[in-house]
Amino acid sequence: MRFRHPDGSTVHLAYCTNVHPAETLDGVVAQLRDHCEPVRRRLGRDRLGIGLWLARDAARTLDSDPSALRALRAELDRHGLEVVTLNGFPYQGFGAEEVKYRVYKPDWADAERLDHTTALARILAGLLPDDVGEGSVSTLPLAWRTAYDDTRAEQARTALRTLAERLDALQELTGRSIRVGLEPEPGCVVETTQDAIAPLTAIAHERIGICVDTCHLATSFEDPHTALDALTAAGVPVVKSQLSAALHAEQPHLPEVREALAAFDEPRFLHQTRTVTAAGLRGTDDLGAALGGDVLPDAAPWRAHFHVPLHAAPAEPLTSTLPVLKTALTRLVGGPQPLTRHLEVETYTWQALPPELRPRDRGRLADGIAAELDLTRDLLTDLGLKELP
């Protein structure tokens, strides 16, 4: 979906296909038919943006076979879909029964991460619509925080500098500008937007910036105005933003709140949980650890890294951090010029919701994704953006 900003530029809205995990190119093509086109039809659109997630095997096929890339581009056109952004965070196995810490491997100290991201950039340059000259790729924020020493930190910096050189060369070759954004996430080396400033200013390259995920921002109790002002002051570009909402518990000391939270403690993904204390931010790596004892203080609200549907906050006594998303979106695209032109709804946890909240079939899932995009469309038009055909 495209929107005209009051400054005349085009803002792109997509939804991320990591909600439909597939490891192979055949699986990706099936997603377009079985999931993405039905969402487009529900929205009454001739064209719908999708943020593709391409696992390692699918990416290798597309990067090594120009005919496969042309065929995928043709499939996108046939289903009324377009791609200006890729989710390059998960490498493989995102649809496994247990993902947890595996999603952070390989990290930016490993050569595979550089090679994979370079391949994604080349692929995206070939998938961009003819009238779009810039694409974006989100990636993990350097590494999970453990086992990340000075040696691995230098390896990661070197890899990102090499990536920047490759992106420069790619533009010279194709005329397409591809930018990559580190996506701060709780528990990682770069947990907050503030953590991203030092490594990104050290690299100081216009094609390497940040992906602001509004669920992660909220989970770490970051104020959107403070965070985005600091990025702007530091000259760190916002390459893209993933629009998502975290799980919020206002009174985690109450038994009924603990019981409600426990329904979201599931085995597939990590749900890092945070609270603010007088000594600063405190947290656990997963929701179960927070619920299991006295590890996390419960005198103040908790937030958990669980991407809940944007249009459907959990029932009381829980809620979502949708207000944080709205505030961030106002700063991202509500000003005289947008801070980013690539927005991506990223609720990948539909099938990890408590059983009674999960969509029971493919049609119900399409209904839910369309409802999220409808809500986001309304937020954008309320900010003065005009929806384009």
Side-chain angles (χ1 to χ4, degrees):
M1 299 167 74
R2 299 187 184 192
F3 297 81
R4 180 73 68 206
H5 190 274
D7 76 343
S9 63
T10 300
V11 173
H12 295 265
L13 172 65
Y15 89 89
C16 187
T17 64
N18 62 353
V19 66
H20 320 299
E23 300 292 315
T24 66
L25 181 55
D26 286 345
V28 171
V29 171
Q31 289 174 356
L32 307 183
R33 178 193 66 233
D34 296 340
H35 297 287
C36 302
E37 183 176 1
V39 172
R40 177 182 66 77
R41 292 186 181 280
R42 280 163 170 77
L43 291 165
R45 300 285 306 176
D46 293 332
R47 174 176 54 187
L48 176 67
I50 57 171
L52 271 182
W53 173 60
L54 297 171
R56 179 197 63 182
D57 290 349
R60 286 180 177 177
T61 300
L62 290 166
D63 190 42
S64 62
D65 184 353
S67 65
L69 186 59
R70 288 193 298 270
L72 178 59
R73 174 71 181 274
E75 284 294 308
L76 289 165
D77 291 341
R78 186 161 75 89
H79 293 292
L81 306 168
E82 66 178 13
V83 175
V84 303
T85 188
L86 300 180
N87 186 334
F89 196 135
Y91 181 66
Q92 61 183 347
F94 201 60
E97 291 185 3
E98 182 179 327
V99 178
K100 299 287 185 183
Y101 296 96
R102 298 177 189 176
V103 76
Y104 307 106
K105 291 293 186 178
D107 63 35
W108 273 102
D110 298 319
E112 299 99 312
R113 178 59 65 172
L114 172 61
D115 292 343
H116 179 62
T117 309
T118 303
L120 293 178
R122 287 193 291 257
I123 292 165
L124 182 55
L127 292 179
L128 286 177
D130 292 339
D131 61 344
V132 175
E134 182 177 289
S136 60
V137 181
S138 48
T139 188
L140 83 162
L142 299 182
W144 186 252
R145 69 183 185 280
T146 57
Y148 191 75
D149 55 20
D150 290 344
T151 298
R152 292 185 68 78
E154 181 56 34
Q155 290 169 337
R157 284 192 292 269
T158 299
L160 287 172
R161 292 190 182 102
T162 301
L163 175 66
E165 294 170 358
R166 292 179 180 180
L167 296 176
D168 285 342
L170 183 63
Q171 181 169 26
E172 290 184 14
L173 180 65
T174 66
R176 301 295 181 78
S177 174
I178 307 300
R179 300 195 297 167
V180 173
L182 304 184
E183 181 186 330
E185 177 166 313
C188 292
V189 172
V190 174
E191 172 158 341
T192 66
T193 55
Q194 186 64 42
D195 294 335
I197 291 175
L200 289 175
T201 52
I203 295 165
H205 196 286
E206 63 181 356
R207 300 194 203 283
I208 309 294
I210 193 169
C211 168
V212 175
D213 184 300
T214 59
C215 169
H216 303 171
L217 189 81
T219 300
S220 294
F221 287 87
E222 289 195 81
D223 173 69
H225 292 294
T226 302
L228 293 168
D229 285 348
L231 292 173
T232 301
V236 174
V238 181
V239 170
K240 66 184 280 190
S241 180
Q242 289 174 325
L243 305 179
S244 52
L247 190 62
H248 180 94
E250 186 67 21
Q251 297 180 297
H253 64 284
L254 296 177
E256 59 268 28
V257 175
R258 296 291 187 104
E259 183 180 356
L261 283 170
F264 288 84
D265 179 27
E266 54 82 38
R268 179 178 292 181
F269 302 111
L270 277 186
H271 301 296
Q272 302 94 314
T273 304
R274 298 289 185 267
T275 190
V276 176
T277 71
L281 199 65
R282 290 277 302 276
T284 60
D285 284 355
D286 214 347
L287 179 56
L291 294 170
D294 299 324
V295 179
L296 197 62
D298 60 8
W302 286 3
R303 289 177 179 172
H305 174 215
F306 195 117
H307 290 221
V308 296
L310 301 187
H311 67 293
E316 293 182 353
L318 305 178
T319 187
S320 81
T321 60
L322 183 62
V324 177
L325 182 158
K326 291 179 178 178
T327 301
L329 192 61
T330 299
R331 285 286 284 110
L332 287 166
V333 300
Q337 291 86 34
L339 298 183
T340 183
R341 294 181 175 87
H342 291 178
L343 305 173
E344 179 183 62
V345 171
E346 197 216 7
T347 305
Y348 60 83
T349 44
W350 282 95
Q351 299 303 335
L353 290 166
E356 67 275 10
L357 301 179
R358 294 175 196 167
R360 294 193 294 274
D361 53 42
R362 190 182 295 167
R364 301 289 179 87
L365 177 58
D367 290 342
I369 294 169
E372 290 191 295
L373 289 167
D374 248 337
L375 180 149
T376 309
R377 173 165 55 186
D378 289 345
L379 293 177
L380 292 174
T381 56
D382 287 347
L383 290 172
L385 283 74
K386 180 181 178 182
E387 187 176 3
L388 297 175

